[in-house]
Amino acid sequence: RAFVLADGDKIKQVFWNFCENAVKAMKGGGTLRVSLEMIGDDWQVSFADTGSGMSPQQREKIFEPFQSGFEGGTGLGLAIVYQIVQAHDGKVWARSHLGKGTTFVLRLRRQAADQAEIDRPDSVLATSVAAAGGGAHGQHSGL
C-alpha cells in the first residue's frame, strides 16, 4: 500500500481523467498500464497508454484550459487535474510522441502507514493507493 495525505475524491477525479483520456486516445483498442513506484520521499503513479500520442505543441499546452485534443472535448479535464495536483503540493506531467502513446505521471508526497491515521486533518483524508501494472487492468483501492 502507498499512503498519501490527500482528498480521496479529488485524487480519484485525477485518476479517472487520466484513464478516460487514455481510452479516448485508443479508439481502435490498446493497453493502459498503471504503475506505482517510490521515488525518494514521493509516490509516482504513471498512466501509460498505447494511443495516438500528442505532438510537442499539444503536450506543451495540455494542462491549459480549453486545449482538448478530442472531438467534443471541453479541454477542462486536465486543467482541473493540474489544479488538484498543485493543491496537494504534487507534480504532474505528460510524456508523449505522435503514434507512440502518452504517459501521464503523477507525483505525490509519501506518508508512512503509521502516520496516515495520526496526521490527518478533518478536512483531508489519508488515502491509500495501490496500483498494479498489467495490461488494461490497473487497480487502485481506497479511493
Side-chain angles (χ1 to χ4, degrees), residues 6-59:
D7 180 324
D9 288 335
K10 297 291 186 186
I11 298 303
K12 186 185 337 183
Q13 185 176 358
V14 169
F15 281 31
W16 176 259
N17 192 280
F18 289 154
C19 294
E20 184 177 45
N21 284 350
V23 169
K24 287 180 185 177
M26 300 184 294
K27 289 180 186 171
T31 301
L32 171 59
R33 184 173 307 277
V34 179
S35 61
L36 173 71
E37 64 182 308
M38 189 183 332
I39 307 283
D41 291 334
D42 298 331
W43 287 115
Q44 181 169 294
V45 186
S46 299
F47 297 77
D49 69 53
T50 58
S52 55
M54 294 182 278
S55 70
Q57 295 81 10
Q58 288 172 309
R59 195 175 61 245

Side-chain angles (χ1 to χ4, degrees), residues 92-110:
V92 63
W93 65 92
R95 295 188 295 251
S96 185
H97 298 284
L98 277 175
K100 296 185 179 179
T102 299
T103 300
F104 281 97
V105 182
L106 168 65
R107 198 175 280 185
L108 295 170
R109 180 70 55 203
R110 208 167 30 98

Side-chain angles (χ1 to χ4, degrees), residues 79-141:
I80 292 168
V81 160
Y82 187 83
Q83 288 178 337
I84 290 169
V85 173
Q86 290 296 304
H88 286 83
D89 294 323
K91 295 181 178 126
V92 63
W93 65 92
R95 295 188 295 251
S96 185
H97 298 284
L98 277 175
K100 296 185 179 179
T102 299
T103 300
F104 281 97
V105 182
L106 168 65
R107 198 175 280 185
L108 295 170
R109 180 70 55 203
R110 208 167 30 98
Q111 184 164 15
D114 59 345
Q115 290 298 111
E117 288 297 319
I118 297 169
D119 290 347
R120 105 179 138 181
D122 291 339
S123 62
V124 180
L125 301 175
T127 299
S128 167
V129 178
H137 300 292
Q139 301 174 6
H140 52 91
S141 63

